[in-house]
Amino acid sequence: MIDHLRTTGSLHLDAVERAFLAVPRHLFIPHVPLEQAYEDAAVPIKTDADGHAISSSSQPSIMALMLEQLRLTPGSRVLEIGTGSGYNAALCRQLVGGEGSVTSVDIDPDVSAAARRHLAAAGVDGVEVICADGAEGWPGSAPYDAVIVTASSDDIPPAWTAQLAPAARLVLPLRLRGPIQFSVAFIGHIDHLESEAVHWCTFMPIRGELQRPNGAAPRTSSRRWLVEEPHRTETTMPAAGLGSFESWLALTDGRYLSVLLGPGRGLAFGIADEDGAALLEAEDDLVRVGLYGVAERLAADLIAAYRRWRRQRPSPDQLHIDAFPSTAHRVGAGGGSVFRRRHVTFLVRWPA
């Protein structure tokens, strides 16, 4: 597993490698075969009544990337939001050593109890597992040198920033628009948070106070012009790299739309207004631009945006995200995309 993480570029730091070597993952997911425990894949650990996973042991490659973003050192005080199997908390414990501390909060009592059993089975002590809503953090052990969130959120509640020590780090899977997620390492400043490192990621949505209906999943549109097949196909283009284009489009064009077209028709994204939409729909190794309603101008804009993206090829490590209190004024006056949430306002800049 560690060789794979090194080869794929997910693991770079020797300290993080030593933590993975020291903590046996199979003891934290005992319900799966040994071979599966060391695959680079997420493993569900609890499902809802419909059989959908609501908690999991994260994919080791994204765990490695986030732990490197967190930059833990011996003696660090860590708060984890989302205990899951307890494996990530055990890795954090290895990184902070005997002088550090790890506090992990999970909203699910069954998951919390199982994590305590797994930590005990692995001989990991010094991890405090709390069953509570992670939106409130855990003030009893604050301040923290690092906070890591293991479920995706589109907001940052005041408790997380209030419980950070000066210049501390907050690492979380951030949803800004549509299904796209980024693991963002924020550094705390006096009046805002500023991103230092950004990676692609995919996490289950957070539960509790910060939960949003249906997470950030694409929705089935009720707009009547999306009920029928597209009335015209403008062009086709390669499907390779389409996820990267979607993330760029979502963060740079306010007309972005991600939508489920209905039974048997699949997922599409593009740009839309009240009169129509131009959407990219997969067709084997190609995608087509389908026009719905009055969409000729939208189709031209979408194709031009795709060509601009192809020329620029922006990557997540060029992305800069600031998080200001929701009361801050004139955010974005100097350029960038603004995303307003209940607790914070995000300013996103993706350089041309």
Side-chain angles (χ1 to χ4, degrees), residues 133-204:
D133 190 335
E136 298 300 322
W138 191 251
S141 301
Y144 301 100
D145 302 301
V147 174
I148 182 169
V149 184
T150 63
S152 64
S153 175
D154 67 354
D155 203 351
I156 299 177
W160 295 355
T161 52
Q163 293 170 25
L164 287 174
R169 291 169 179 264
L170 167 65
V171 174
L172 81 155
L174 180 64
R175 303 188 312 262
L176 289 172
R177 179 181 282 157
I180 307 301
Q181 297 180 22
F182 297 99
S183 175
V184 185
F186 285 107
I187 306 298
H189 294 275
I190 294 175
D191 60 346
H192 72 291
L193 299 172
E194 182 175 340
S195 69
E196 182 188 67
V198 180
H199 295 289
W200 306 113
C201 71
T202 302
F203 277 83
M204 294 177 186

Side-chain angles (χ1 to χ4, degrees), residues 58-123:
S58 300
Q59 186 176 2
S61 56
I62 189 58
M63 295 176 71
L65 284 168
M66 293 178 74
L67 288 171
E68 293 196 352
Q69 286 180 310
L70 209 58
R71 301 283 179 178
L72 297 178
T73 57
S76 295
R77 300 172 60 84
V78 186
L79 172 64
E80 178 186 47
I81 307 298
T83 309
S85 69
Y87 181 50
N88 194 65
L91 294 172
C92 290
R93 183 62 179 156
Q94 286 292 322
L95 288 164
V96 303
E99 299 301 315
S101 68
V102 179
T103 302
S104 188
V105 179
D106 200 288
I107 196 170
D108 193 305
D110 295 335
V111 171
S112 300
R116 293 188 190 100
R117 294 195 299 270
H118 300 157
L119 289 161

Side-chain angles (χ1 to χ4, degrees), residues 29-42:
I29 42 176
H31 61 292
V32 303
L34 188 64
E35 294 81 1
Q36 185 179 348
Y38 290 98
E39 292 177 353
D40 186 23

Side-chain angles (χ1 to χ4, degrees), residues 6 11-22 67-68 72-74 91 94-95:
R6 284 282 194 183
L11 178 61
H12 308 87
L13 299 179
D14 291 342
V16 176
E17 178 177 322
R18 289 194 296 270
F20 274 104
L21 282 169
L67 288 171
E68 293 196 352
L72 297 178
T73 57
L91 294 172
Q94 286 292 322
L95 288 164

